[in-house]
Amino acid sequence: DEQGQVVSATRYVQRALEARQRILGEEHPLTLTSRNNLAGAYDRAGDLRRAIPLYEQAIADSVRVLGEDHPDTLTYRSNLAGAYKSSGDLGRATRLYEEILADRERILGEDHPSTLASRGYLAGAYKASGNLGRAISLYEQNLSDRVRVLGENHPQTLTSRNSLAGAYESA
């Protein structure tokens, strides 16, 4: 996948999912992960018609098996929001990112790396939908928090700084 061989990667992920379903069963956490991974492979290949239903299935199964607040469930929801954003459904993406951020703040706290990532994703959805005021505000908060939590030179801090600069440029 990282070498651009998306079709081959998708085939291998499909085989992993089939094997985990056969060996571990439909509800095993590793099977759920494989389903999400297959959705991600389709997503990266630009096949959102296949990716979105698989993400939705992975979420429904994860909620049933692991619970609404499980980190994997939150990750799967975030992946679905990204697919909505890629498909141009910015309203659904933004609403889902807002819910995920609120859940991660409640469950993990405001300074957890996953919470900071969610804040950045939501800012990106706001930016994509043209809501630059909200995007910039979140990007500024995220940069400040990442500097405080991770330090000035952490790669995620640098990403936050770059995202904020892009939002300023768009404004």
Side-chain angles (χ1 to χ4, degrees):
D1 194 19
E2 292 176 12
Q3 295 175 350
Q5 297 180 31
V6 181
V7 173
S8 294
T10 302
R11 262 196 316 268
Y12 281 108
V13 175
Q14 175 69 45
R15 288 174 51 196
L17 173 59
E18 291 167 357
R20 284 182 168 170
Q21 287 170 322
R22 186 179 67 253
I23 297 165
L24 303 173
E26 287 290 329
E27 295 190 344
H28 192 281
L30 292 175
T31 303
L32 304 180
T33 298
S34 288
R35 185 170 294 112
N36 177 74
N37 291 347
L38 180 59
Y42 286 134
D43 191 346
R44 287 184 298 283
D47 191 349
L48 296 172
R49 182 185 56 78
R50 286 184 174 170
I52 289 173
L54 275 175
Y55 281 137
E56 291 170 339
Q57 183 183 356
I59 292 166
D61 292 344
S62 188
V63 166
R64 188 180 68 256
V65 175
L66 303 173
E68 188 79 33
D69 293 343
H70 191 278
D72 288 352
T73 303
L74 296 173
T75 296
Y76 302 161
R77 289 173 58 209
S78 184
N79 292 344
L80 175 61
Y84 287 153
K85 183 179 171 207
S86 295
S87 75
D89 193 345
L90 298 175
R92 284 174 81 177
T94 300
R95 283 189 301 278
L96 189 51
Y97 279 136
E98 288 169 340
E99 292 170 9
I100 295 162
L101 177 58
D103 288 342
R104 283 191 165 153
E105 287 174 341
R106 176 179 53 83
I107 297 163
L108 302 172
E110 299 230 351
D111 292 339
H112 191 279
S114 294
T115 303
L116 299 176
S118 289
R119 190 173 297 118
Y121 296 146
L122 177 57
Y126 285 145
K127 181 181 175 216
S129 64
N131 193 341
L132 292 174
R134 290 181 90 174
I136 288 171
S137 176
L138 281 178
Y139 280 137
E140 288 173 340
Q141 178 185 357
N142 220 33
L143 176 57
S144 175
D145 290 344
R146 282 192 164 158
V147 166
R148 181 176 47 77
V149 173
L150 302 173
E152 283 284 338
N153 297 316
H154 190 280
Q156 291 175 0
T157 303
L158 301 177
T159 297
S160 292
R161 186 171 286 116
N162 189 57
S163 296
L164 176 58
Y168 284 151
E169 183 177 30
S170 293

